[in-house]
Amino acid sequence: MKILRATTNEIVVSVTRKPEGSWPALTLKLDGNDYATIHSAALVAGDASQAELTIPLPRLPGGRPHSVAVADAETGALAPGSNLRPIATETKLRALVVYPAGEVYEHDKVRWYRAPMEKLLADYFNIGDMIVYDSTLKLLRYAHLEPMKIMSPTEADIERYASEFDYVFVRGSNFIHEKMEWFRAVEVLERVKLPVYAIGVGAQASQNRKIELSEGSRRFWSIVAERSAAIGVRGAFSAETLRQNGIKNVEVVGCPSIFRTRNRDLQIRVPDQREIRKVAFSLRREADHSYTADPEAYLRKQKAALLKVDGQSEMVMSSHGEQEEKAFFLRDEAAKQKAVAEFVRTKWWDGPDDQAMRRIYEKQLFSFFDVEHYDQFAQGLDLAVGYRVHGVLPAVAHGVPGVLVAYDTRSQELAETLKIPIVPEAALAEGGWRAVYQEAALNGLSKSYAHSYDRMRDFLEKNGVPHRM
C-alpha cells in the first residue's frame, strides 16, 4: 500500500494483491478516527497484481481534515504517506521551499539577493540554481511562498509550518551527492506532516560512478519518497543513484527550466546555418574534479571552442556566476586587474595582453542577476551553445535551438532525457558551432518537446502537485 496523493476531494492509493491472490481491505482514517472500510477486491477488475484506488473524501462540518491515513484493515499497518495534511483544492495554497536560490518578487520571478558591490564581486553563486528556482515557481500553483528554515528553526517556526502551510517542495539542483548538508531539515519534516515534492533533482559527478549518500541524505530522500508518489529526477544517472541508496520510487522528468514558458506547443526554430548570426556561448570556466576529470584540458578545450565560435558568428559569452567575469560585467577596475592575473595564472588568457580574450570580455560579455533579463537576452538569439545546462535549456524554452557540451553526468543525463543535442568537448573546440549544428538532431528536439512537456505535467498530476502546466 502507498498513498499516492490526497486532496480535500479524494485520496488515491496504490494497492498490491497479496501472495495468496486476495486484495487487502483498507481502513480510511480522518484525523486519527476510523471513517470507512474499503474492500479493494470489489473495486479491482481483471487479473492485475497492482491497482490504484480513488476514494472520495467527505466534506467535514469543521472544514478539511488535518490528516488522512490508510491502514491495512487486518494488521493495522499504515500505508506510506499516511497522516499528512491533504492538499486543498479550493483555497489559496501556502508553500514552503527547501533551499531557495534568490529572492522572489512579483509572485514567481527570482533575482539574486541584494548586496553591496563588494559582496557581489567576492561571492560565487550559481545563477543556474536561480534559473531552476524561477522556473519551478512558474510551474507551481501557490498563493504564498516562504523558505523553510533548516539551519536554526524555532519551535514557533515548526508549529506555524505545521498549522498554516499546505506543501513543501525541493527545487531541482545537484542535491544528490556525498557532501550534501541538510542541517535540521529531517527534524523539521518529521514534525511537519505535509506532502513533500522534489521536481527535477539530480546527482552530480564528473563521470558515472557509484555515489554513497550519508545517513542524513538517505533519511531526507526517504521522507520525500514516503510523502509523494515519486521523486522527480532529471535523468537516468540520478535515478540509479537514488535506487542504489535504497530510494526506489523515482521518476525521470528532466528539468523545469526547459518548460518555464508553459507552452506545450512551443515551436523550436531550426534555421538553415546560413541564417544564424547571433550565438550565445555559455561559459563554465570554474570546474573542479567533481565536474571534470582533467580541469586543465577542460579549460584549454573550452577556450578553443569560445574563440572558434567567436570567429563564426556575432557571439556573446554568457557568464553564470564566476567572480572574475562579474568584475568585467560590473566594470570594477581593481577587480578586473585581479581577474586578469587569475586568467593568466590558469592559462585561460595568453598573458595580460591577450587581445582576443580581452575584446570578448570587454565587449561581448553578458551576465545577469535576475532571470527575467536572461529571458529577454535569450529571445534575441539564433543559437545557444556551451557548457552551462542553464545557459541552453532556458533558451530552448523560448524556441531557440540549443547544443550542450558533454563534460559531466548532469549534462549527459539531461540531454538524454530532453533530447538536447550533446557533443564532445573536442567537437566544439575543433569545429565551432558549425561543426555541431545538426538539423536532424535539432528537429528531434523540436518533435520531442511536447512529449517531454507531457511527462513533466503527468508527473505533477500523479503526485498531486498543485501546478499551472
Side-chain angles (χ1 to χ4, degrees), residues 212-223 245-247:
E212 191 75 28
L213 297 180
S214 67
E215 181 62 32
S217 278
R218 285 198 295 273
R219 180 59 191 138
F220 178 85
W221 292 116
S222 293
I223 290 174
N245 283 273
I247 313 299

Side-chain angles (χ1 to χ4, degrees), residues 258-270:
I258 200 171
F259 309 118
R260 57 180 286 102
T261 54
R262 302 198 306 272
N263 180 7
R264 182 188 182 274
D265 300 320
L266 177 73
Q267 298 298 308
I268 299 172
R269 302 185 296 275
V270 186

Side-chain angles (χ1 to χ4, degrees), residues 295-312:
E296 287 189 9
Y298 167 89
L299 270 185
R300 186 172 62 251
K301 291 175 183 176
Q302 187 170 183
K303 179 179 180 179
L306 174 67
L307 294 174
K308 196 75 175 181
V309 172
D310 179 54
Q312 295 175 335

Side-chain angles (χ1 to χ4, degrees), residues 11-28:
I11 181 171
V12 179
V13 185
S14 172
V15 293
T16 302
R17 192 189 292 267
K18 293 181 178 181
E20 71 274 14
S22 65
W23 290 94
L26 310 177
T27 300
L28 174 63

Side-chain angles (χ1 to χ4, degrees), residues 108-129:
D108 62 0
K109 297 179 180 179
V110 178
R111 61 190 170 209
W112 199 248
Y113 305 101
R114 298 178 187 183
M117 180 72 77
E118 306 81 55
K119 184 170 178 60
L120 286 176
L121 287 167
D123 290 351
Y124 172 83
F125 49 84
N126 190 338
I127 291 178
D129 286 338

Side-chain angles (χ1 to χ4, degrees), residues 60 75 244:
L60 301 184
T75 66
Q244 289 173 348

Side-chain angles (χ1 to χ4, degrees), residues 95-100 102 113 133 145-150 160-161:
L96 291 165
V97 55
V98 180
Y99 272 120
Y113 305 101
Y133 184 33
L145 174 72
E146 282 187 32
M148 191 179 84
K149 296 179 182 178
I150 63 173
R160 192 169 65 89
Y161 296 160

